[in-house]
């Protein structure tokens, strides 16, 4: 899938998640999509991979509900499009997506603070 289509899908996903549109989030995910999160034992994360569009959507909305203070911004990290959830000025979570066949097939969330040290703070984004 080309980068523009990848970016369009991931942006639509984040907008749907931010607006609370459960059905739209599910429709953008492959039925067997996979979510993996890494808290490094220092931040809350899913203990096991989550598979399935509806299970992932339910998990995403639960996280959003628990963290109403997050500000989410798109970023390019390691040459890839990502979304960064900031709490105050600090990066809390980075989300990378995998896409294929016009759907999102994978979400990879990095919450381990040891792995976020090179992510710019919110004020550094400008």
């Amino acid at each position: 899938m080309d980068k523009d289509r990848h970016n369009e899908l991931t942006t639509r996903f984040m907008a749907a998640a931010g607006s609370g549109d459960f059905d739209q989030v599910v429709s953008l995910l492959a039925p067997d999509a996979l979510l993996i999160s890494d808290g490094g034992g220092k931040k809350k994360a899913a203990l096991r991979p989550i598979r399935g569009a509806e299970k992932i959507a339910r998990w995403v909305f639960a996280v959003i509900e628990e963290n109403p203070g997050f500000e989410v911004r798109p970023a390019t990290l390691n040459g890839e499009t990502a979304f960064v959830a900031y709490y105050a000025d600090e990066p809390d979570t980075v989300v990378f997506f995998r896409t294929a066949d016009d759907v999102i097939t994978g979400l990879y969330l990095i919450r381990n603070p040891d792995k976020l040290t090179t992510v710019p703070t919110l004020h550094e984004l400008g």
Side-chain angles (χ1 to χ4, degrees):
M1 174 174 304
D2 72 35
K3 191 170 188 159
D4 288 340
R5 181 66 180 142
H6 173 88
N7 292 345
E8 177 191 338
L9 281 171
T10 59
T11 299
R12 285 177 50 208
F13 178 91
M14 294 303 289
S19 71
D21 190 338
F22 183 88
D23 292 336
Q24 179 71 12
V25 166
V26 171
S27 76
L28 292 166
L29 292 165
D32 63 344
L34 180 68
L35 179 144
I36 297 172
S37 60
D38 172 11
K42 297 178 180 187
K43 291 272 189 126
K44 189 175 179 181
L47 297 177
R48 291 180 298 274
I50 299 171
R51 184 170 297 278
E54 288 194 14
K55 287 181 182 177
I56 290 171
R58 282 194 297 275
W59 187 86
V60 166
F61 283 106
V63 169
I64 290 170
E65 187 175 316
E66 288 178 11
N67 298 283
F70 279 165
E71 184 169 341
V72 179
R73 296 285 182 91
T76 300
L77 301 171
N78 298 333
E80 292 189 48
T81 301
F83 287 85
V84 182
Y86 288 93
Y87 186 76
D89 192 44
E90 297 300 316
D92 180 273
T93 306
V94 172
V95 184
F96 290 98
F97 293 89
R98 293 289 173 253
T99 56
D101 301 324
D102 281 336
V103 290
I104 296 167
T105 58
L107 294 86
Y108 303 92
L109 288 76
I110 302 166
R111 300 202 69 212
N112 182 344
D114 297 336
K115 295 181 179 178
L116 299 176
T117 58
T118 61
V119 177
T121 61
L122 185 58
H123 82 268
E124 290 173 327
L125 289 179

